[in-house]
Amino acid sequence: MKFRQLFKNFIVLVFSFALFSAAAVAADSVKTTQRSFVKLAEGIYSIRHKDAPDTFPQGNTTVIIGDREVLVVDSCYLPSSAREDIAQIKEWTNKPVRYLVNTHWHYDHTMGNGVYWEAFPFLTIIAHSETAKQSANYNPGWFERFPRRADAMRKILTDGKDNNGKVLSDGEKKEYEDAIKGLEPVQAEFKTLVDRTPNFTFDSELTINLGNREVQIKHLGRGNTKGDAVVYLPKEKILIAGDLIVHPVPYLFGGYPSDFIKTLNNLKQLDFQTIVPGHGEILRGQAGKDYIDLLTGFTSAVITEVGKQINLIGNGQRNLEPVRQAVQKNLDVSAWRQKFAGNDKDNQDFFDTTYAGLITAAHAEVWGQ
Ligand SMILES: [Zn+2]
């Protein structure tokens, strides 16, 4: 799930507008090179996808099978991966996929929607009303905007730093080069894509019974996006968190850092044993709860330091870079870096990227208040 360079660039473009063990961390990587799945309970599976050829990460897909019908959470990015998932689902069950939930609007969780729509004629695509709105605004035209993305990536490569001022490591430069090379096959896939945005929305909570299996879909507040949805199975104590939780290194660029903390605290009130993150490895038992604490602790420390530096340096968008530099100089994040990224170079690079993005998001939020 390494935040592949295209994805970094995409998030930067979009949002410029607008105590678990180190061993556990090291076991997971921000890069996913192989497709795999995990059986979470009888009739419940989670699929992890390998990164796309353009290095874009693909969100995890969860399949929940009831006595009568099937609900899928997130349709991933590449149509070919969604097709592979559907073939796999048909091996697991002969019941139809009746519901597809989009946890949020980002492409790496929604671009497979059209493939499900074609495969299952009675499909309902469910999302929070804000997610449905954002999908309708951003998802069409994805294919046409591809050339602009390549240009933006080339510019970052030439400048040697991303739009958050993060200087590219050699590994990241190589990744940008790989991402540019991988655009062509991805573009070819999207040529025939029929885009489908959610056609059924909710605002706070929705409960569906698939036949002897209750599924709750909840909006617990803003975090990664305006319309983040989580899917909760009360009997099985499974929580499917979308990108509110990404492992081993979170996606904290963009979004709403202060609300993120509140939303995670709401999330923590649910009685769960298993967390399926938006990307990365399944978290079980106490490890999931500890990881939430790690996320809130880190986010909160960065918001506090950003506020402090804004008071010292001055308000306004023009002070973003001086504030960023002062935060990075004064806040010691080495312990968090170690806890999230371990000793893995890709994870560490990605931690630095997400940290720079979090400062940008916190700055936008704090100085505007
Ligand atoms: Zn994602």
Side-chain angles (χ1 to χ4, degrees), residues 76 80 200 238 245:
C76 80
S80 57
F200 191 93
I238 294 171
I245 298 180

Side-chain angles (χ1 to χ4, degrees), residues 96-341:
V97 176
R98 178 75 177 81
Y99 305 102
L100 170 62
V101 178
N102 288 163
T103 56
H104 60 296
W105 68 272
H106 290 166
Y107 307 129
D108 54 320
H109 299 256
T110 57
M111 293 315 280
N113 283 3
V115 178
Y116 281 86
W117 188 269
E118 280 167 13
F120 301 101
F122 298 104
L123 184 75
T124 299
I125 305 179
I126 302 171
H128 185 267
S129 51
E130 286 294 345
T131 293
K133 250 189 257 171
Q134 289 181 305
S135 294
N137 285 341
Y138 294 123
N139 292 17
W142 162 248
F143 167 69
E144 288 80 1
R145 293 195 296 271
F146 244 83
R148 266 167 41 200
R149 288 167 194 287
D151 292 345
M153 280 197 286
R154 281 190 196 100
K155 185 175 182 310
I156 288 171
L157 199 52
T158 312
D159 293 350
K161 58 182 179 184
D162 72 15
N163 293 3
N164 283 315
K166 157 83 170 66
V167 175
L168 304 183
S169 68
D170 288 346
E172 287 172 313
K173 282 181 193 158
K174 162 112 180 39
E175 205 171 323
Y176 270 99
E177 283 158 11
D178 290 347
I180 291 165
K181 273 185 228 148
L183 282 174
E184 209 174 303
V186 174
Q187 202 166 358
E189 278 211 33
F190 283 118
K191 258 182 201 161
T192 54
L193 177 77
V194 180
D195 182 49
R196 289 288 168 194
T197 50
N199 61 343
F200 191 93
T201 62
F202 75 101
D203 284 319
S204 60
E205 186 165 335
L206 185 65
T207 299
I208 296 174
N209 197 318
L210 303 171
N212 205 24
R213 179 148 271 163
E214 184 181 314
V215 181
Q216 298 176 1
I217 307 165
K218 294 168 182 286
H219 172 67
L220 299 172
R222 302 189 303 183
N224 177 48
T225 67
K226 276 186 197 166
D228 293 313
V230 301
V231 175
Y232 175 59
L233 302 175
K235 197 167 138 221
E236 296 81 3
K237 300 191 182 202
I238 294 171
L239 172 66
I240 301 141
D243 283 1
L244 286 169
I245 298 180
V246 168
H247 190 268
V249 183
Y251 290 4
L252 300 175
F253 24 81
Y256 305 88
S258 300
D259 286 5
F260 178 64
I261 294 170
K262 290 181 210 148
T263 303
L264 286 185
N265 284 332
N266 292 338
L267 202 68
K268 222 182 147 192
Q269 305 308 312
L270 297 171
D271 179 18
F272 57 83
Q273 279 300 315
T274 304
I275 298 177
V276 181
H279 300 260
E281 234 167 48
I282 309 290
L283 296 161
R284 296 176 199 274
Q286 194 55 38
K289 284 158 196 162
D290 290 346
Y291 189 67
I292 293 177
D293 289 343
L294 192 61
L295 289 172
T296 52
F298 174 58
T299 306
S300 165
V302 174
I303 293 171
T304 304
E305 188 64 33
V306 167
K308 204 170 114 191
Q309 295 304 332
I310 287 175
N311 281 336
L312 291 170
I313 293 168
N315 224 334
Q317 182 62 27
R318 71 198 156 83
N319 285 321
L320 170 61
E321 286 315 316
V323 166
R324 185 200 313 287
Q325 282 164 24
V327 169
Q328 285 172 334
K329 190 166 157 238
N330 287 288
L331 186 65
D332 181 7
V333 295
S334 54
W336 278 301
R337 197 168 189 263
Q338 178 62 33
K339 279 176 188 166
F340 283 115

